[in-house]
Structures are given as C-alpha cells and as structure tokens.
C-alpha cells in the first residue's frame, strides 16, 4: 500500500533531508562524485533548502510503503508543464511499482492544474532512471546543461510526458 503525503512542517523537511542524504549518496556518488553530491545535498536537499523551495512554489510529498517512509517527490506548477523536480525511492524498495503509482499521482496533479504535460530532468548517466521514465511514457527531448555553482554542472536530459 503506497501513501503519498503532502509535506509542510520542519519535522517533515528533516525527514526528507535524511532520505535524500541516504539515496543521493548511494545513487549519485558513482555518477557525479562525492564532492558534487556533498555540494548538491547542502544546496538543494537540506531541511532549510527544502523549506525555502516550498516557499517558492515547490510541493514536497513523502512516499510511504506499508507504513515505512521509502522516498519522496517534489513538483512545481509551471506555465506549460508540471515540473517533476524530484522522485526518489530507497534502493531496497525499487522495482515494486512504487514509482509507477507515484507517477499516476503526479499525472492527476498535472490534470488538476489543467496542465497537459509533465517534464523532468535526469542526469545523462542515470541509465536506470532513464529506462524507468521511458517505461512510464516519457520522451527524451534533448540535453539540458545547468551551471549549479562551485564549478559544478548538471549534465541532464529533459524528458516530457503528455497527460
Ligand atoms: C526512478 C525510480 C523513482 C523509479 O521508481 P521504482 O519504484 O523503482 O519504479 P517502478 O517499480 O514503479 O517501475 C516503473 C516502470 O519502470 C520500469 N523500470 C524501473 N526500473 C527499471 C530499470 N532499471 N530498467 C528498466 N526498466 C525499469 C519498471 O519495469 C516499470 O515498468 P513496467 O510497469 O512497464 O514494468 C527509482 O528507481 C529511483 O528512485 N531510482 C534512483 C533515484 C533516481 O535516479 N531518481 C530519479 C532522479 S531524476
């Protein structure tokens, strides 16, 4: 049983930050290296950074599976699309269709905002996530490189799904 809970308190932001710390270190250090992951966690996924993003229109949701907190998502309403900024599931819970259930929730959110597409960005070397997104109906629309400061760049593809 998957539950998706809107997150809007400091205690929840800390819980998301802890999940991010576990998932990002395990998943991204082999892809972009430890110094970039340290930097990105501090800049984007500390409890304070999450709170600030919520103030700026990002919505965060905690994912629980059989009452265990297993991941989180973040979305933002844009003019033409719903931006799926984050979707992360703990490695031991992947492949159980949790991502698929969550994507149905995201699609419903897009429709409720009268938006016709969902867009996301994914690291070009994040092969498993790219495969999962393709299975979930997303199409690669090309490269997007973003300078995130301190000499680091995000080397991403943008992927889009029409809903
Ligand atoms: C990407 C992620 C959120 C997907 O969630 P998940 O719960 O593992 O995905 P699901 O089990 O719901 O699978 C969804 C679909 O993708 C497919 N899929 C998932 N992982 C796959 C892989 N490595 N290779 C091929 N297909 C894959 C599943 O088979 C399923 O398709 P189907 O229903 O047609 O069989 C999760 O794997 C994750 O957190 N990955 C690591 C962090 C990450 O990279 N996040 C994205 C950052 S942009």
């Amino acid at each position: 049983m998957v539950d998706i809970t809107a997150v809007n308190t400091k205690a929840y932001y800390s819980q998301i930050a802890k999940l991010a710390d576990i998932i990002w270190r395990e998943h991204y250090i082999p892809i972009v290296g430890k110094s970039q992951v340290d930097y990105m966690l501090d800049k984007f996924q500390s409890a304070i950074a999450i709170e600030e993003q919520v103030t700026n229109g990002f919505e965060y949701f905690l994912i629980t599976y059989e009452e265990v907190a297993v991941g989180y998502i973040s979305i933002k309403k844009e003019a033409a699309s719903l931006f799926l900024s984050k979707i992360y599931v703990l490695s031991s819970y992947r492949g159980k269709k949790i991502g698929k259930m969550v994507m149905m929730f995201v699609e419903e959110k897009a429709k409720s905002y009268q938006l016709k597409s969902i867009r996301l960005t994914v690291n070009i070397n994040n092969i498993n996530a790219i495969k999962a997104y393709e299975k979930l109906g997303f199409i690669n629309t090309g490269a997007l490189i973003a300078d995130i400061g301190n000499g680091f760049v995000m080397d991403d593809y943008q992927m889009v799904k029409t809903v």
Side-chain angles (χ1 to χ4, degrees), residues 23 27-28 87-89 93-101 121-123 126 128-129 131-133 135-136:
I23 297 170
H27 194 72
Y28 283 129
I87 176 166
Y88 291 97
V89 175
Y93 287 89
R94 287 178 203 149
K96 295 177 184 292
K97 311 285 183 196
I98 295 172
K100 196 169 188 166
M101 293 277 302
T121 57
V122 57
N123 185 283
N126 194 354
N128 286 329
K131 284 185 192 155
Y133 292 144
K135 286 264 180 73
L136 292 167

Side-chain angles (χ1 to χ4, degrees), residues 22-41:
I22 295 166
I23 297 170
W24 285 39
R25 287 188 186 287
E26 182 193 52
H27 194 72
Y28 283 129
I29 288 176
I31 297 177
V32 297
K34 183 175 179 302
S35 51
Q36 182 160 344
V37 172
D38 286 342
Y39 175 75
M40 293 195 307
L41 278 169

Side-chain angles (χ1 to χ4, degrees), residues 42-87:
D42 183 55
K43 190 172 167 75
F44 302 123
Q45 297 287 256
S46 67
I48 288 171
I50 293 167
E51 184 169 17
E52 196 179 312
Q53 288 159 31
V54 170
T55 310
N56 289 317
F58 287 84
E59 298 176 71
Y60 272 83
F61 297 86
L62 183 70
I63 304 166
T64 53
Y65 178 78
E66 291 170 356
E67 284 162 42
V68 180
V70 298
Y72 64 98
I73 59 168
S74 168
I75 58 174
K76 187 171 196 237
K77 184 178 182 293
E78 297 179 335
S81 297
L82 187 66
F83 178 43
L84 176 55
S85 170
K86 313 269 181 311
I87 176 166

